[in-house]
């Protein structure tokens, strides 16, 4: 039987007239797709090795290279797409699970794109953010139901209520959990420096804590996942908050896997595992099988950190996300992270990433409503993640009930990521999702930090502009204010779940 050849996903087209045979494309491609034939004095490409990262295209001095998606034509069938056929071909050859990276790329409905915002007109004048104060500072952590004050004999008024530890964000956007191992140290340093510059936070992910990150303590969240890599009392006290990862939007219900090829000597030291061994995180925490177990871990961490830091819980957006979130809040979580179906990852089974979970728009709406109905909304902040693409998504997420958002894919794009979805191979040509020292040095952390900080500054400006257009001068007034949202082309039951009215309906 003849072997069926899997067609390439990308095709590299080279203008031979423009090509000066500098061989830069040959030297830089970590996948070995480009090669030089000395006898013919020509550069060729083995298209099956191309992942579509566009790095060779970007560095070609004469712009001789164009990378395009391969048009794999088959007989038109409504039920069978080229993607299905290629997947079956690969699995028939390998007998293995199809892996992928980054977020869900299925054409699911984007509800953010079907939600529009309100604006002021005559009776409620808009606000010019350049001339009038505009407050977008956000605090993440447990809030008191009421504040008590007392007055001294000399008339000085003091706050009697003890305030729980808070994270202060100058912009309601943080960099989500991405571990050392899944991305390079230079990528993490870029985000850490950007977080410090802008006044927000980055998350270490479950990969432990490299010594180079300790100086960013005031802008760092450390994560505790099921693998407990690098977790110790010192680690828990190294950041400003601790986050317990229960689930992830890109792979709800399953654990994590860092391939052994990416476990170098530094990764080994940080994660406390042997060099070259796979880092496996089990699907469940083996000490958490109930809300009571989760409560025990939360308070163990609070004890270890002397009740000086907020402790959060990250869950995936699944069908029963509302009661799960409510249970985590009652267990003592100071903030809840909800990761939607479009959440990114360094590695996940493609079948799980593409078909498990629910959109973040529904998840935040139902969780916010559930916490309000139970009278515990003040007990925890809500942070959402999974497909936040721009400042409009941030505003809509907050109006649906979030306190702040996490961004991961958008942050990596600001560093140079081209979404080729092969992070799990560890050969990222842009120096982001790799541990190869020859590749990691391609990402300058100072330049990366500047670009990531610029992204957040730009979003902050846009958030203020839109708030001003609504006649709102503080982000607090937007939180959970679904009256400023309207749905376009949504069914009645979708509007009901989101808690918004259809476009055209007045207040």
């Amino acid at each position: 039987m003849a072997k069926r050849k899997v067609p390439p996903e990308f095709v590299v087209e080279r203008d031979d007239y423009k090509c000066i045979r500098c061989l830069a494309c040959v030297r830089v491609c970590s996948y070995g797709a480009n090669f030089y034939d000395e006898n013919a004095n020509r550069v060729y490409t083995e298209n099956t090795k191309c992942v579509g990262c566009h790095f060779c295209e970007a560095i070609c001095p004469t712009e001789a290279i164009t990378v395009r998606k391969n048009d794999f034509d088959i007989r038109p069938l409504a039920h069978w797409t080229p993607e299905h056929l290629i997947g079956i071909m690969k699995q028939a050859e390998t007998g293995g699970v199809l892996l992928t990276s980054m977020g869900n790329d299925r054409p699911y409905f984007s509800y953010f794109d079907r939600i529009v915002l309100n604006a002021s007109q005559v009776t409620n004048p808009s606000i010019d953010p350049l001339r009038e104060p505009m407050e977008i500072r956000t605090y993440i952590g447990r809030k008191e139901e009421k504040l008590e004050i007392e007055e001294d004999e000399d008339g000085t008024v003091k706050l009697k209520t003890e305030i729980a530890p808070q994270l202060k964000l100058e912009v309601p956007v943080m960099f989500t959990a991405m571990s050392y191992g899944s991305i390079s140290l230079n990528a993490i340093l870029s985000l850490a420096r950007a977080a410090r510059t802008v006044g927000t936070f980055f998350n270490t992910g479950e990969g432990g804590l490299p010594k180079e990150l300790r100086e960013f303590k005031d802008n760092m969240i450390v994560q505790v996942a099921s693998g407990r890599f690098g977790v110790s009392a010192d680690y828990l006290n190294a950041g400003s908050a601790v986050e317990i990862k229960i689930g992830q939007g890109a792979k709800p219900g399953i654990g994590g896997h860092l391939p052994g090829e990416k476990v170098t000597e530094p990764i080994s030291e940080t994660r406390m595992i042997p060099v070259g061994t796979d880092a496996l995180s089990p699907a469940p925490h083996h000490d958490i099988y109930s809300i009571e177990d989760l409560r025990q871990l939360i308070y163990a961490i609070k004890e270890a950190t002397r009740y000086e830091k907020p402790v959060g819980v990250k869950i995936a957006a699944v069908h029963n996300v509302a009661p799960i979130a409510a249970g985590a809040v009652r267990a003592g979580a100071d903030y809840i992270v909800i990761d939607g179906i479009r959440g990114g990852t360094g590695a996940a089974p493609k079948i799980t990433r593409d078909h498990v979970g629910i959109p973040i728009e529904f998840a935040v709406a139902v969780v916010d409503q559930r916490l309000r109905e139970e009278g515990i909304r003040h007990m925890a902040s809500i942070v959402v993640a999974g497909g936040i693409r721009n400042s409009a998504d941030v505003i809509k997420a907050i109006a649906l009930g979030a306190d702040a958002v996490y961004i991961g894919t958008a942050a990596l794009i600001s560093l140079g990521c081209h979404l080729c979805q092969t992070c799990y191979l560890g050969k990222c040509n842009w120096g982001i999702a790799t541990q190869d020292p020859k590749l990691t040095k391609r990402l300058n952390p100072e330049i990366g930090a500047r670009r990531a900080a610029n992204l957040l500054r730009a979003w902050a400006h846009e958030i203020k502009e839109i708030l001003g257009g609504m006649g709102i001068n503080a982000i607090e007034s937007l939180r959970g204010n679904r009256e400023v949202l309207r749905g376009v082309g949504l069914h009645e039951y979708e509007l009901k779940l989101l808690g918004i009215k259809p476009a055209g309906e007045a207040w």
Side-chain angles (χ1 to χ4, degrees):
M1 177 179 176
K3 183 178 180 181
R4 297 182 67 184
K5 185 178 180 181
V6 177
E9 292 187 61
F10 296 91
V11 174
V12 178
E13 295 177 342
R14 185 174 286 99
D15 187 330
D16 193 57
Y17 179 76
K18 288 184 178 181
C19 179
I20 59 175
R21 279 62 170 178
C22 66
L23 306 188
C25 58
V26 176
R27 292 191 299 270
V28 301
C29 183
S30 60
Y31 298 93
N34 301 311
F35 63 94
Y36 174 63
D37 186 330
E38 189 174 354
N39 293 327
N41 189 28
R42 293 191 66 177
V43 180
Y44 297 97
T45 299
E46 190 175 344
N47 289 320
T48 54
K49 293 183 177 180
C50 179
V51 300
C53 74
H54 294 267
F55 193 78
C56 61
E57 186 178 44
I59 60 93
C60 180
T62 60
E63 299 181 350
I65 297 175
T66 301
V67 180
R68 65 171 178 81
K69 186 76 173 175
N70 186 27
D71 296 324
F72 177 45
D73 292 326
I74 61 170
R75 179 188 295 274
L77 298 168
H79 189 63
W80 294 91
T81 66
E83 181 184 2
H84 293 130
L85 266 68
I86 291 174
I88 291 173
M89 289 179 187
K90 288 180 178 178
Q91 290 188 301
E93 287 186 10
T94 66
V97 173
L98 295 178
L99 294 179
T100 189
S101 302
M102 305 308 293
N104 191 315
D105 57 8
R106 303 288 297 170
Y108 291 127
F109 211 64
S110 175
Y111 288 90
F112 279 139
D113 291 341
R114 292 301 182 97
I115 297 174
V116 291
L117 298 161
N118 189 35
S120 300
Q121 293 299 291
V122 179
T123 58
N124 180 29
S126 57
I127 301 169
D128 185 350
L130 296 177
R131 291 180 170 86
E132 300 182 54
M134 186 71 66
E135 183 62 74
I136 62 171
R137 179 180 292 168
T138 302
Y139 290 90
I140 301 298
R142 176 183 293 259
K143 310 297 188 297
E144 299 303 320
E145 191 171 7
K146 61 182 180 179
L147 298 177
E148 296 181 4
I149 59 174
E150 58 183 2
E151 187 174 342
D152 293 344
E153 294 179 359
D154 59 359
T156 303
V157 177
K158 294 182 179 180
L159 182 64
K160 184 178 179 181
T161 306
E162 184 177 349
I163 304 298
Q166 305 286 318
L167 297 179
K168 184 172 76 171
L169 283 62
E170 296 300 335
V171 57
V173 182
M174 300 185 288
F175 297 123
T176 196
M178 289 179 278
S179 67
Y180 178 41
S182 67
I183 61 175
S184 67
L185 181 59
N186 283 353
I188 302 174
L189 284 171
S190 297
L191 301 181
R193 292 176 180 176
R196 184 166 63 184
T197 299
V198 177
T200 186
F201 291 81
F202 76 100
N203 192 312
T204 63
E206 64 171 309
L209 184 65
K211 60 181 182 299
E212 291 86 351
L213 296 180
R214 289 189 175 273
E215 65 174 287
F216 301 100
K217 177 178 181 178
D218 294 338
N219 299 92
M220 182 168 64
I221 299 171
V222 298
Q223 192 178 76
V224 175
S226 58
R228 307 286 166 90
F229 297 117
V231 175
S232 64
D234 178 61
Y235 172 78
L236 297 176
N237 284 283
S240 295
V242 181
E243 186 175 292
I244 301 170
K245 175 190 168 186
I246 299 296
Q248 186 174 343
K251 42 186 175 183
I254 66 174
H257 178 200
L258 182 69
E261 305 89 82
K262 298 180 80 171
V263 181
T264 59
E265 186 69 39
I267 303 296
S268 167
E269 293 176 4
T270 304
R271 295 205 177 208
M272 303 180 187
I273 58 175
V275 175
T277 60
D278 289 8
L280 299 171
S281 300
H285 288 250
H286 286 311
D287 53 358
I288 300 178
Y289 293 94
S290 66
I291 293 297
E292 290 76 19
D293 291 340
L294 176 60
R295 178 181 178 85
Q296 195 168 18
L297 178 59
I298 290 172
Y299 278 91
I301 292 173
K302 289 188 175 187
E303 287 283 344
T305 56
R306 300 177 294 280
Y307 291 84
E308 295 175 352
K309 307 174 190 299
V311 177
V313 173
K314 178 180 180 178
I315 58 176
V318 291
H319 300 164
N320 57 339
V321 65
I324 294 171
V329 173
R330 292 188 181 279
D334 299 307
Y335 68 91
I336 299 294
V337 179
I338 312 169
D339 199 11
I341 194 172
R342 290 189 177 88
T345 178
K350 192 175 189 301
I351 201 74
T352 301
R353 187 204 65 177
D354 290 352
H355 300 282
V356 182
I358 65 173
I360 191 60
E361 300 94 324
F362 285 121
V364 63
V366 298
V367 167
D368 177 67
Q369 187 61 33
R370 178 66 173 254
L371 298 185
R372 291 178 187 275
E373 290 173 354
E374 294 191 16
I376 57 174
R377 180 62 181 88
H378 65 284
M379 292 172 61
S381 298
I382 298 175
V383 179
V384 302
I388 303 297
R389 305 160 297 179
N390 50 45
S391 57
D393 289 350
V394 176
I395 291 169
K396 293 171 187 178
I398 293 174
L400 285 171
D403 291 86
V405 306
Y406 262 141
I407 61 170
T409 301
L412 296 186
I413 291 173
S414 75
L415 302 184
C417 173
H418 278 55
L419 298 180
C420 64
Q421 298 183 321
T422 54
C423 311
Y424 62 94
L425 296 176
K427 296 180 179 181
C428 176
N429 275 311
W430 295 92
I432 299 171
T434 179
Q435 303 307 319
D436 185 334
K438 294 180 181 178
L439 300 176
T440 57
K441 66 182 181 182
R442 294 179 182 177
L443 176 60
N444 184 321
E446 293 184 6
I447 296 175
R450 184 164 66 245
R451 292 179 61 84
N454 282 343
L455 176 68
L456 294 193
R457 288 195 189 100
W459 286 15
H461 287 311
E462 291 175 339
I463 290 170
K464 289 179 180 180
E465 288 285 350
I466 296 178
L467 285 178
M470 290 190 215
I472 297 174
N473 63 1
I475 200 87
E476 287 280 344
S477 301
L478 179 68
R479 186 175 303 114
N481 184 1
R482 303 182 202 182
E483 281 294 342
V484 304
L485 303 175
R486 290 294 185 271
V488 179
L490 298 180
H491 295 290
E492 184 177 348
Y493 63 89
E494 292 171 319
L495 294 169
K496 181 180 179 181
L497 283 174
L498 292 168
I500 63 176
K501 297 174 182 176
E505 184 172 327
W507 294 73

